[in-house]
């Protein structure tokens, strides 16, 4: 089975801060997300692609940049299903949640890989998001 790399990886790798990444994604995903309905307790997240150039000035090989799409653990929340982070008989969230525009961390194996408008995304069950961070660069 062949694997198709999301078309926007190269552009995302040029964005040198999480703030620039977030602004780019929210701008380019606004229209495509209008036709996407996330169901149940699922959370749609776009995978954070770390910058090609590290803070120390090292240029990461493109193969390393691409690996973020498959092994990335940090994602920007794009959309929530209608029952995401709502208490039920199985889970009590105690008011904790990640909102659209926030960064969440999850185990790669707990997420379903999808592409939306050429961006690498994950569909994650709400209870599988284990951390909320202000800066996705702190997670490796």
């Amino acid at each position: 089975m062949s694997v198709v790399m999301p078309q926007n990886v190269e552009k995302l790798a040029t964005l040198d801060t999480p703030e620039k990444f977030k602004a780019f994604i929210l701008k380019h995903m606004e229209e495509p997300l209008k036709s996407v309905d996330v169901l149940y307790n699922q959370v749609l997240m776009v995978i954070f692609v770390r910058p090609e150039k590290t803070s120390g000035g090292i240029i990461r090989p493109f193969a390393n940049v691409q690996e973020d799409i498959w092994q990335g653990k940090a994602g920007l929340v794009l959309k929530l299903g209608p029952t995401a982070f709502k208490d039920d008989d199985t889970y009590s969230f105690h008011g904790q949640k990640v909102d659209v525009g926030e960064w969440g961390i999850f185990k790669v194996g707990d997420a379903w890989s999808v592409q939306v408008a050429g961006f690498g995304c994950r569909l994650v069950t709400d209870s599988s998001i284990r951390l909320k961070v202000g800066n996705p660069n702190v997670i490796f």
Side-chain angles (χ1 to χ4, degrees), residues 71-97:
Q71 297 300 322
K73 299 165 190 68
L76 180 67
V77 176
L78 298 174
K79 257 189 160 176
L80 300 170
T83 59
F85 300 104
K86 303 248 194 284
D87 294 346
D88 59 23
D89 293 339
T90 307
Y91 293 102
S92 179
F93 292 96
H94 304 284
Q96 298 177 90
K97 65 185 273 189

Side-chain angles (χ1 to χ4, degrees), residues 13-101:
T14 67
L15 305 171
D16 58 357
T17 67
E19 294 78 20
K20 289 180 183 176
F21 183 97
K22 180 178 177 177
F24 181 86
I25 290 295
L26 294 178
K27 176 184 174 188
H28 288 85
M29 292 291 277
E30 182 178 5
E31 193 61 33
L33 286 175
K34 289 178 182 178
S35 64
V36 174
D37 287 325
V38 178
L39 304 178
Y40 311 111
N41 62 340
Q42 298 298 297
V43 178
L44 180 64
M45 306 173 82
V46 64
I47 297 300
F48 178 63
V49 176
R50 294 173 294 152
E52 179 183 38
K53 186 175 184 179
T54 69
S55 59
I58 297 170
I59 304 294
R60 297 169 54 213
F62 191 62
N64 186 265
V65 171
Q66 290 176 314
E67 195 61 25
D68 285 350
I69 293 297
W70 312 122
Q71 297 300 322
K73 299 165 190 68
L76 180 67
V77 176
L78 298 174
K79 257 189 160 176
L80 300 170
T83 59
F85 300 104
K86 303 248 194 284
D87 294 346
D88 59 23
D89 293 339
T90 307
Y91 293 102
S92 179
F93 292 96
H94 304 284
Q96 298 177 90
K97 65 185 273 189
V98 290
D99 288 310
V100 171

